[in-house]
C-alpha cells in the first residue's frame, strides 16, 4: 500500500510537469500577447489567491472576485466567470496534491455533494444570474464571507475529530449532502465561489469532521465545481468571454503551482495563525466593500434578510447535527 501511495505521488508530480509543458506549447504566445498593463497585475494577485485557495476553505474566489471588481473595475458576472475558470486550474492543482498526500478521503460524500452542485450551477446560470443586480452580487459576496467566518469561529474550538471515510449513513445524511451541494452550486454560479464554503460548513457543522480535513475536502469540492461551472458556461451559455480568457492566460501558470504550496502549508500551519490569516482576508473584504462599493440604502433590509436567512440555515445544520440519531 505504501508503495502504491508513493507511486501515486510520483505520477501526480509527473502530471504537473506535463501540464506545464502543455501550457507552454498551447498558450505561450498568447501569454506574451496578454502581458500588458494593467492586466499583468492579475498574476501576482492570483499568486496570493492560489495560496489562499490551497491553505484555507475560502477558495481562490475570495481573492479573485474582489480583486477584479474593485481593482480592475470588472463587472461581477465577468469576475465570477474568471473565478470559476482560474479555480478550475488552481484548486484542481491543489486537489491533486491533497489526493496524493491524504488517505481515506470520503469519495462517496464528494460524489453526492457534486451531484447537487451540478444542479445548483445549472439553475443559477439558467434562471437566476440574469435577474440579480451587479451591486447585489458584490454585497452578497462580502456578506457571505462574513457568515462563513462566523461558522469557522464557532467550529474551530469544537471537538471535531471524526475522520470517517463514509459520511452518509442515513437518508437524512444523503438528503442534507445533496441539498448542501445544490446550495453550494447556486452560490458558486452567482459569485464564482461558494461550493467549497458550503461544503466546509456541512463537514464541520453537520458531520463534525476535523477542521483541517474539512478544509482539504472543501478544496476538492470547489475544484470539481469550478470545472463543471466552466464546462456549463462553455457549452450552454456562450463561454466565458475574451477578457476572462486573457486574464486566465496570465494567472494559470501561477496558480498551477501556488495552490499546491498552500495545500502543503495547510497541513502544518498553526490554528491561530490560520484564523488570523482568514480574519485579515475577510476584514479587508468588508472594509473595501464599504469604501468602494456604492450602497443603495433602500436595499439594506434585503441584505439584512439575506444575512439572517444564512445564519438560520447554519443554525439548522447545527441543530440537525446534534439530533442525527433521533
Amino acid at each position: 500500500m505504501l508503495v502504491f501511495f508513493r507511486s501515486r505521488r510520483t505520477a501526480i508530480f509527473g502530471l504537473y510537469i506535463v501540464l506545464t509543458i502543455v501550457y507552454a506549447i498551447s498558450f505561450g504566445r498568447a501569454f506574451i500577447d496578454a502581458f500588458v498593463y494593467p492586466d499583468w497585475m492579475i498574476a501576482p494577485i492570483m499568486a496570493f489567491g492560489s495560496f489562499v485557495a490551497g491553505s484555507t476553505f475560502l477558495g481562490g474566489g475570495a481573492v479573485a472576485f474582489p480583486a477584479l471588481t474593485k481593482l480592475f473595475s470588472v463587472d461581477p458576472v465577468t469576475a465570477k466567470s474568471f473565478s470559476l475558470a482560474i479555480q478550475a486550474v488552481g484548486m484542481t492543482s491543489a486537489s491533486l496534491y491533497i489526493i496524493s498526500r491524504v488517505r481515506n478521503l470520503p469519495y462517496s460524500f464528494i460524489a453526492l455533494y457534486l451531484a447537487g452542485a451540478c444542479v445548483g450551477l445549472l439553475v443559477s446560470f439558467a434562471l437566476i444570474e440574469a435577474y440579480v443586480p451587479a451591486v447585489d452580487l458584490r454585497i452578497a459576496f462580502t456578506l457571505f464571507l462574513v457568515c462563513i467566518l462566523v461558522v469557522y469561529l464557532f467550529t474551530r474550538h469544537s471537538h471535531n475529530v471524526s475522520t470517517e471515510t463514509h459520511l452518509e449513513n442515513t437518508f437524512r445524511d444523503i438528503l442534507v449532502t445533496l441539498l448542501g451541494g445544490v446550495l453550494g452550486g447556486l452560490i458558486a454560479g452567482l459569485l464564482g465561489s461558494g461550493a467549497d464554503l458550503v461544503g466546509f460548513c456541512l463537514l464541520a457543522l453537520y458531520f463534525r469532521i476535523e477542521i483541517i480535513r474539512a478544509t482539504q475536502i472543501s478544496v476538492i469540492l470547489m475544484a470539481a465545481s469550478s470545472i463543471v461551472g466552466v464546462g456549463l458556461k462553455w457549452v450552454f451559455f456562450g463561454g466565458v468571454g475574451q477578457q476572462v480568457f486573457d486574464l486566465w492566460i496570465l494567472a494559470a501558470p501561477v496558480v498551477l503551482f501556488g495552490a499546491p504550496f498552500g495545500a502543503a502549508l495547510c497541513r502544518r500551519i498553526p490554528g491561530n495563525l490560520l484564523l488570523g490569516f482568514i480574519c485579515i482576508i475577510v476584514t479587508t473584504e468588508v472594509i473595501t466593500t464599504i469604501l468602494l462599493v456604492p450602497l443603495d440604502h433602500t436595499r439594506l433590509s434585503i441584505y439584512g434578510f439575506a444575512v439572517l436567512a444564512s445564519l438560520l440555515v447554519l443554525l439548522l445544520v447545527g441543530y440537525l447535527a446534534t439530533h442525527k440519531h433521533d
Side-chain angles (χ1 to χ4, degrees), residues 184-265:
L186 284 171
I187 295 173
L190 290 174
L191 303 178
S193 182
D196 48 350
L197 303 178
V198 173
F200 174 85
C201 292
L202 196 59
L203 290 162
L205 280 179
Y206 183 75
F207 290 109
R208 304 296 186 185
I209 294 295
E210 190 270 330
I211 298 300
I212 296 299
R213 179 61 63 89
T215 300
Q216 293 168 335
I217 298 169
S218 72
V219 170
I220 298 173
L221 295 177
M222 193 64 235
S225 298
S226 296
I227 293 172
V228 171
V230 172
L232 289 173
K233 275 282 187 180
W234 195 273
V235 175
F236 299 109
F237 301 99
V240 296
Q242 187 62 41
Q243 184 179 17
V244 170
F245 180 74
D246 290 341
L247 293 172
W248 181 90
I249 287 291
L250 294 169
V254 175
V255 303
L256 180 64
F257 296 99
F261 177 68
L265 284 186

Side-chain angles (χ1 to χ4, degrees), residues 267-314:
R267 305 172 64 204
R268 300 171 176 84
I269 188 170
N272 289 335
L273 183 59
L274 180 62
L275 172 62
F277 184 52
I278 292 171
C279 287
I280 290 173
I281 293 173
V282 176
T283 301
T284 302
E285 169 65 15
V286 171
I287 293 174
T288 54
T289 295
I290 293 173
L291 295 177
L292 300 177
V293 178
L295 186 63
D296 185 352
H297 295 282
T298 63
R299 302 183 69 80
L300 288 178
S301 59
I302 297 176
Y303 303 145
F305 175 78
V307 171
L308 180 61
S310 299
L311 293 176
L312 287 175
V313 169
L314 295 173

Side-chain angles (χ1 to χ4, degrees), residues 69-196:
T69 56
K70 295 171 183 176
L71 297 180
F72 289 82
S73 299
V74 173
D75 69 273
V77 173
T78 300
K80 176 270 301 287
S81 296
F82 173 78
S83 294
L84 289 174
I86 203 61
Q87 286 175 128
V89 177
M91 299 192 80
T92 298
S93 182
S95 296
L96 291 174
Y97 174 86
I98 291 169
I99 291 170
S100 72
R101 295 281 179 168
V102 179
R103 306 185 191 187
N104 301 323
L105 290 168
Y107 290 107
S108 58
F109 166 83
I110 293 172
L112 269 175
Y113 185 91
L114 291 177
C118 290
V119 175
L121 284 163
L122 186 59
V123 171
S124 181
F125 292 153
L127 302 177
I128 302 177
E129 180 181 77
Y131 300 100
V132 180
V135 67
D136 285 355
L137 291 178
R138 300 172 76 178
I139 299 295
F141 187 90
T142 302
L143 296 177
F144 184 59
L145 286 187
V146 172
C147 289
I148 298 303
L149 177 59
V150 171
V151 173
Y152 182 71
L153 292 174
F154 179 77
T155 58
R156 65 184 297 265
H157 289 306
S158 61
H159 299 290
N160 290 12
V161 296
S162 174
T163 56
E164 294 182 40
T165 59
H166 186 77
L167 304 179
E168 314 76 37
N169 297 314
T170 67
F171 175 77
R172 178 191 289 182
D173 294 345
I174 294 172
L175 183 61
V176 168
T177 301
L178 284 171
L179 291 178
V182 172
L183 179 60
L186 284 171
I187 295 173
L190 290 174
L191 303 178
S193 182
D196 48 350

